[in-house]
Amino acid sequence: MSTETLDKAKSNLPVRGFLKIDDLIIPQGEDLVKAILDLKKEKNAVILAHYYQPPAIQDVADFLGDSLQLARQAKDTEADMIAFCGVHFMAEAAKILNPTKKVVLPDTQAGCSLADGCSGEGLRSMRAQYPNAIIATYINCNAETKAESDVIVTSSNAETIIKSLPTDRPIIFAPDKNLGRYLAKKTGRDMILWDGSCIVHEAFSMERIAKQLAENPDAKLIAHPESETPVLDLASFVGSTSALLNYVEKDDCQKFIVATEEGILHEMRKRAPHKELVPALVFDESCNCSECFYMKRNTMEKLYLCMKYELPEILINEELRLRALKPIEAMLDLSKTVK
Ligand code: SF4
């Protein structure tokens, strides 16, 4: 590639926005995997990937995990660069936790319906309405929203953290009303819920899943708590991404209907290769998939480019970072016992 083409290509990689890859020569297949592994060595980078990422990215990652596990890895890594394969709020949390590292995200348009639907300003006005309340916020939110929160939770540690909060104060839970409702039931705590939801988990159809269960009497339904209550009520087991993985691995049942983002099936099949895993059905009968459009914006090609050019990079204002760090540290502190 000529210097001119390379410079042009670099100028096409904005800090925020779409990657334009038309003019670039990108290795393919095994060469692409090798190029990514070479870049990892050359740049002393670590690749962190969420379970909902495309399988090829999961396979090339140094560490695969849920939000809590990835946050811990990001905090502790000694690599110079973190290539974060997940959605924007996750990469931003990595930067908040480990600001001296360069954090790159293959596609900054990898957003999240929960994060997009809850603002710092919105939480500020809820606090004004309920001045005595503790604000517990799901990690699926942006830095401004985190900065207005008292404690952050993930689906792995939410129950433990909610139970640990003082009982003489009300709790505002944002932004996922489905997870909030589930936690209120599990912990017996009254919660004021933000009206947000995950577009993927809300798409599961209770009627179609009930039919699936009737047609597969030997199967168990397992569901993520971001799903709506009628789906959770049908489930034999409800848990975080990691908890669902462990359940499939250890439970005696041989067949599972899985109500969460279907990227998780890749790791489930590796951990329980002899078990049958079926994605739960969604409302739209023309589409049986339950893929997160945002998570799937990341591709191997974009991962290669972001590592090569160290763009798009996640940057955050230091004052905001410090305010957002406090509730994340509170979470890490309150959930030391959660795996
Ligand atoms: S699966 Fe839902 S909660 Fe997770 S990133 Fe996608 S939209 Fe957000």
Side-chain angles (χ1 to χ4, degrees), residues 252-287:
D252 290 339
C253 183
Q254 296 300 306
K255 192 172 185 180
F256 296 92
I257 296 170
V258 183
T260 191
E261 211 276 353
E262 75 166 53
I264 199 178
L265 297 182
H266 185 63
E267 180 64 13
M268 276 180 180
R269 289 190 177 114
K270 281 188 187 171
R271 294 207 200 169
H274 306 300
K275 297 192 178 176
E276 195 178 337
L277 304 166
V278 187
L281 293 177
V282 295
F283 283 108
D284 182 353
E285 294 197 19
S286 64
C287 169

Side-chain angles (χ1 to χ4, degrees), residues 52 87 112-114 140 198-200 226 292 294-295:
Y52 297 170
V87 292
C112 168
S113 64
L114 278 170
N140 297 34
C198 159
I199 48 168
V200 175
E226 284 174 22
C292 174
Y294 300 109
M295 285 277 183

Side-chain angles (χ1 to χ4, degrees), residues 202-232:
E202 226 177 29
F204 291 117
S205 158
M206 189 268 283
E207 287 82 7
R208 296 190 75 208
I209 294 174
K211 197 160 169 252
Q212 247 182 323
L213 281 168
E215 286 165 1
N216 297 277
D218 53 339
K220 276 186 178 176
L221 173 70
I222 58 171
H224 191 281
E226 284 174 22
S227 311
E228 292 184 312
T229 308
V231 172
L232 299 182

Side-chain angles (χ1 to χ4, degrees), residues 30-329:
E30 283 177 21
D31 291 342
L32 179 55
V33 175
K34 183 175 178 309
I36 289 171
L37 297 177
D38 288 349
L39 281 170
K40 215 172 64 161
K41 265 195 212 143
E42 185 193 315
K43 310 230 174 192
N44 187 26
V46 64
I47 301 174
L48 305 184
H50 191 272
Y51 290 121
Y52 297 170
Q53 285 295 282
I57 291 184
Q58 293 191 34
D59 290 344
V60 86
D62 295 294
F63 188 83
L64 187 61
D66 63 15
S67 303
L68 179 61
Q69 294 166 328
L70 293 173
R72 284 174 173 155
Q73 287 291 323
K75 181 173 183 273
D76 295 340
T77 186
E78 290 186 356
D80 294 320
M81 181 165 88
I82 300 171
F84 203 108
C85 300
V87 292
H88 189 275
F89 75 79
M90 296 176 176
E92 194 178 54
K95 185 71 181 175
I96 292 168
L97 283 161
N98 207 335
T100 61
K101 309 299 179 189
K102 179 170 274 194
V103 179
V104 291
L105 175 67
D107 189 331
T108 50
Q109 297 295 312
C112 168
S113 64
L114 278 170
D116 293 348
C118 185
S119 64
E121 199 188 332
L123 279 195
R124 267 196 302 281
S125 60
M126 277 190 101
R127 196 187 282 284
Q129 220 181 321
Y130 304 97
N132 191 35
I134 298 170
I135 302 186
T137 309
Y138 194 27
I139 197 165
N140 297 34
C141 64
N142 62 34
E144 285 86 4
T145 308
K146 286 186 176 78
E148 297 299 331
S149 309
D150 295 308
V151 63
I152 299 300
V153 305
T154 70
S155 51
S156 306
N157 61 24
E159 196 179 325
T160 306
I161 290 177
I162 297 292
K163 280 181 179 162
S164 76
L165 299 178
T167 49
D168 58 346
R169 291 176 64 189
I171 298 170
I172 293 172
F173 188 83
D176 188 350
K177 62 182 176 191
N178 292 314
L179 177 60
R181 238 180 248 132
Y182 171 76
L183 289 167
K185 199 168 157 190
K186 287 289 277 187
T187 61
R189 297 295 302 269
D190 277 338
M191 291 204 242
I192 302 147
L193 303 179
W194 182 275
D195 187 15
S197 58
C198 159
I199 48 168
V200 175
H201 290 87
E202 226 177 29
F204 291 117
S205 158
M206 189 268 283
E207 287 82 7
R208 296 190 75 208
I209 294 174
K211 197 160 169 252
Q212 247 182 323
L213 281 168
E215 286 165 1
N216 297 277
D218 53 339
K220 276 186 178 176
L221 173 70
I222 58 171
H224 191 281
E226 284 174 22
S227 311
E228 292 184 312
T229 308
V231 172
L232 299 182
D233 287 346
L234 283 179
S236 302
F237 180 75
V238 176
S240 67
T241 320
S242 301
L244 295 178
L245 274 165
N246 290 338
Y247 189 78
V248 164
E249 205 177 342
K250 297 195 177 125
D251 191 76
D252 290 339
C253 183
Q254 296 300 306
K255 192 172 185 180
F256 296 92
I257 296 170
V258 183
T260 191
E261 211 276 353
E262 75 166 53
I264 199 178
L265 297 182
H266 185 63
E267 180 64 13
M268 276 180 180
R269 289 190 177 114
K270 281 188 187 171
R271 294 207 200 169
H274 306 300
K275 297 192 178 176
E276 195 178 337
L277 304 166
V278 187
L281 293 177
V282 295
F283 283 108
D284 182 353
E285 294 197 19
S286 64
C287 169
N288 282 344
C289 67
S290 44
E291 287 194 344
C292 174
F293 152 85
Y294 300 109
M295 285 277 183
K296 281 6 184 217
R297 289 197 67 91
N298 294 330
T299 62
M300 287 287 277
E301 286 80 3
K302 290 180 193 171
L303 172 58
Y304 164 78
L305 288 172
C306 83
M307 292 179 75
K308 187 169 173 68
Y309 298 112
E310 304 184 11
L311 286 172
E313 183 182 358
I314 302 293
L315 299 169
I316 183 166
N317 161 287
E318 183 60 8
E319 186 268 333
L320 174 61
R321 186 190 76 79
L322 291 173
R323 287 199 298 125
L325 179 63
K326 261 173 86 175
I328 301 181
E329 282 183 330

